[in-house]
């Protein structure tokens, strides 16, 4: 069987996989990182989004063998060792950007990639368009968009709008 | 998904050798079409030949009055490339509408072109821009390359290596997306350049991407949205399905053509 080496959340793993094994299967079943979810399994819902080399990808639509030698980040790799949440996670909590939570790991991973690729910040429209590949069936997206808008300010060193409004 | 052998060659020559030795082997680049098909067991290759290790197939260059885009260049890279944005902004803008963020991070121009999905965006752009598709064996003008739905002149084991795109004077694109699947129901790419005015349509035709020559003549005489508004598209040549009748798509082609001309300016 093919052997692949993945650096997942800064830890190097070498695992044996079948050529047909999907990245999400390796993450969940072999590495037991079950924060990455399988929703639709047809590349549409985005619950399985992880970062590969810093880019958001749907881990249900990539073979583990295609990831050999890659750096992968999953939702488990975001918070600091002492439990301090990533600013995006913190914003999702603060703005109540989830209800059932199933889509949340993928939403957070997609959102971080979007913020990283828009260093000057995104408009609400750009955030909504950027989330096209992530489906949420309960929130109506509104609070997710608000959370991402707030987190991008924190991640990019601006004063979040709501904090500014409260201070004025 | 059925299992298969996996190869990751480091050069085009090695990839072609593996593909030539096994007609049931399939190349993969981003895998955004192939993997979903494999998961549905619509396809059962003996081997998957991963092209992603072939560095020579990646990147965008400007060579005189054309852009040369490596087959493995991802949609995200086309959308954000300074060269593409400067030379053919409509192409960069189009690339930014393909699939979703994650598809654009993985999917490649060569893969999309070789697959020739009737709703794919690039085939219409390449046809309208008068591009040339370079393979490991030959160069083929877009007019000859696309050959009906999901069909091209590529032979088994032949690989797209680069796309050569003449830089137009003006170009624009507009599409109507299916509200659920987000695939193009009708998309029109218009371009005006050294080869004259060319108009190509995706998503709508009964036989895949095609040129709309009556619109080309109308725009050559008068480059304006009004000129294409008067051109009626033959519904008999359109695709009709649960998402829209042939008549509806014929109507959409005219509307999208008007918007594409506005987009081109």
């Amino acid at each position: 069987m093919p052997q692949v080496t993945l650096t997942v959340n800064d830890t190097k793993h070498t695992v044996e996989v079948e050529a047909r094994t999907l990245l999400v299967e390796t993450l969940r079943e072999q590495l037991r990182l079950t924060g990455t979810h399988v929703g639709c399994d047809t590349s549409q819902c985005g619950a399985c989004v992880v970062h590969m080399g810093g880019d958001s990808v749907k881990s249900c639509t990539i073979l583990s063998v295609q990831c050999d030698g890659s750096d992968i980040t999953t939702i488990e790799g975001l918070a600091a060792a002492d439990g301090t949440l990533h600013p995006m996670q913190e914003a999702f909590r603060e703005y109540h950007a989830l209800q059932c939570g199933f889509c949340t790991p993928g939403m957070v991973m997609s959102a971080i990639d979007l913020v990283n690729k828009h260093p000057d910040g995104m408009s609400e429209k750009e955030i909504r368009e950027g989330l096209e590949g992530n489906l949420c069936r309960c929130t109506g997206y509104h609070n997710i968009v608000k959370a991402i808008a707030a987190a991008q300010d924190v991640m990019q060193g601006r004063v979040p709008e709501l904090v500014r409004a409260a201070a004025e | 998904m059925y299992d298969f052998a996996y190869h990751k060659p480091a050069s085009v020559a090695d990839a072609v050798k593996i593909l030539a030795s096994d007609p049931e082997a399939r190349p993969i680049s981003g895998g955004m079409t192939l993997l979903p098909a494999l998961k549905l067991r619509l396809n059962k290759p003996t081997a998957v030949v991963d092209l992603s290790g072939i560095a020579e197939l990646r990147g965008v260059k400007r060579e005189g009055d054309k852009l040369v885009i490596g087959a493995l260049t991802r949609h995200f890279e086309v959308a954000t490339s300074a060269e593409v944005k400067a030379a053919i902004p409509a192409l960069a803008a189009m690339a930014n509408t393909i699939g979703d963020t994650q598809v654009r991070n993985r999917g490649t121009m060569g893969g999309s072109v070789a697959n020739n999905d009737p709703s794919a965006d690039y085939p219409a752009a390449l046809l309208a821009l008068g591009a040339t598709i370079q393979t490991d064996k030959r160069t083929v003008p877009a007019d000859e390359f696309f050959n009906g739905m999901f069909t091209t002149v590529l032979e088994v084991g032949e690989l797209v290596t680069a796309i050569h795109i003449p830089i137009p004077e003006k170009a624009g694109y507009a599409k109507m997306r299916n509200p659920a699947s987000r695939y193009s129901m009708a998309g029109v790419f218009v371009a005006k350049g050294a080869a004259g005015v060319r108009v190509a349509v995706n998503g709508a035709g009964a036989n895949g991407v095609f040129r709309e020559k009556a619109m080309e003549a109308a725009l050559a005489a008068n480059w304006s949205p009004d000129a294409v508004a008067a051109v009626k598209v033959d519904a008999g040549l359109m695709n009709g399905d649960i998402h829209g009748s042939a008549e509806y798509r014929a109507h959409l082609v005219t509307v999208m053509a008007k918007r594409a001309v506005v987009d081109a300016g």
Side-chain angles (χ1 to χ4, degrees):
Chain A
M1 281 209 292
Q3 216 176 46
V4 298
T5 300
L6 306 173
T7 302
V8 182
N9 304 330
D10 297 327
T11 304
K12 199 175 228 187
H13 300 271
T14 298
V15 288
E16 283 199 347
V17 297
E18 289 184 305
R20 63 177 167 177
T21 304
L22 300 168
L23 175 60
V24 71
E25 294 169 341
T26 298
L27 292 174
R28 287 180 57 87
E29 293 164 23
Q30 292 179 277
L31 305 183
R32 306 303 296 165
L33 293 168
T34 54
T36 301
H37 293 167
V38 178
C40 68
D41 202 15
T42 55
S43 339
Q44 298 177 68
C45 79
C48 67
V49 170
V50 300
H51 292 183
M52 176 180 175
D55 293 325
S56 61
V57 300
K58 290 183 176 172
S59 62
C60 82
T61 312
I62 186 164
L63 302 170
S64 298
V65 286
Q66 290 178 286
C67 306
D68 188 28
S70 300
D71 277 326
I72 306 289
T73 306
T74 69
I75 191 76
E76 290 92 342
L78 294 183
D82 67 359
T84 306
L85 294 179
H86 184 283
M88 189 62 73
Q89 293 173 302
E90 186 59 42
F92 267 61
R93 192 175 69 130
E94 181 68 23
Y95 289 86
H96 194 63
L98 58 143
Q99 288 181 28
C100 84
F102 192 85
C103 72
T104 309
M107 286 283 178
V108 169
M109 299 312 289
S110 289
I112 292 171
D113 182 33
L114 286 173
V115 171
N116 288 341
K117 288 189 175 140
H118 294 83
D120 301 324
M122 290 173 284
S123 65
E124 182 191 330
K125 183 167 182 278
E126 287 173 310
I127 294 172
R128 287 183 184 274
E129 285 174 355
L131 288 181
E132 182 168 350
N134 292 82
L135 302 181
C136 171
R137 298 292 79 167
C138 22
T139 66
Y141 302 98
H142 198 63
N143 285 357
I144 294 173
V145 175
K146 276 204 262 186
I148 296 170
Q152 74 175 349
D153 286 340
V154 175
M155 289 168 68
Q156 295 170 349
R158 292 181 298 267
V159 179
E161 198 181 324
L162 290 186
V163 175
R164 199 164 57 226
E168 285 164 2
Chain B
M1 196 177 341
Y2 298 108
D3 205 12
F4 40 75
Y6 174 79
H7 304 282
K8 192 172 179 183
S11 70
V12 173
D14 287 348
V16 167
K17 198 183 293 173
I18 299 167
L19 290 165
S21 70
D22 180 358
E24 296 301 317
R26 288 284 170 275
I28 190 168
S29 54
M32 294 296 96
T33 299
L34 182 62
L35 285 171
L38 295 184
K39 287 169 76 175
L40 292 170
R41 296 188 168 180
L42 294 174
N43 200 327
K44 191 183 177 185
T46 48
V48 165
V49 181
D50 185 351
L51 307 178
S52 67
I54 308 177
E56 65 196 270
L57 295 184
R58 197 174 291 272
V60 179
K61 287 182 299 217
R62 185 167 176 155
E63 287 181 3
D65 58 358
K66 65 181 183 182
L67 284 181
V68 180
I69 302 183
L72 286 186
T73 309
R74 299 181 198 280
H75 308 324
F76 173 76
E77 293 164 333
V78 175
T80 55
S81 152
E83 285 89 352
V84 179
K85 285 204 274 190
I88 319 178
L91 184 67
M94 164 190 266
N96 202 37
T97 70
I98 299 172
D100 57 37
T101 304
Q102 289 72 35
V103 165
R104 295 193 288 275
N105 280 342
R106 293 290 303 158
T108 66
M109 185 182 270
S112 170
V113 167
N115 189 51
N116 193 19
D117 187 306
S119 288
D121 295 278
Y122 284 139
L126 302 198
L127 203 50
L129 291 164
T132 304
I133 290 91
Q134 186 182 327
T135 78
D136 60 288
K137 294 193 174 104
R138 53 187 169 152
T139 56
V140 187
D143 279 309
E144 292 164 30
F145 184 84
F146 300 111
N147 214 356
M149 287 197 183
F150 297 105
T151 312
T152 68
V153 297
L154 286 174
E155 290 162 12
V156 172
E158 186 176 6
L159 293 175
V160 173
T161 55
I163 293 95
H164 296 247
I165 310 176
I167 296 169
E169 195 185 309
K170 289 178 174 193
Y173 180 59
K175 65 176 165 179
M176 173 63 78
R177 296 178 180 210
N178 178 289
S181 76
R182 311 299 282 154
Y183 282 103
S184 169
M185 306 258 298
V188 179
F189 200 101
V190 298
K192 184 181 188 180
V197 172
R198 293 166 62 102
V199 176
V201 180
N202 64 31
N207 196 27
V209 67
F210 68 98
R211 277 174 68 190
E212 177 46 69
K213 300 211 173 159
M215 288 185 178
E216 293 179 357
L219 286 174
N222 171 19
W223 181 271
S224 76
D226 290 343
V228 283
V231 179
K232 292 278 171 278
V233 178
D234 181 0
L237 302 174
M238 297 298 110
N239 179 33
D241 58 22
I242 56 165
H243 305 298
S245 65
E247 291 74 18
Y248 178 58
R249 281 196 169 83
H251 175 73
L252 279 182
V253 171
T254 301
V255 177
M256 293 305 119
K258 286 194 308 196
R259 291 185 190 173
V261 175
V262 172
D263 181 53

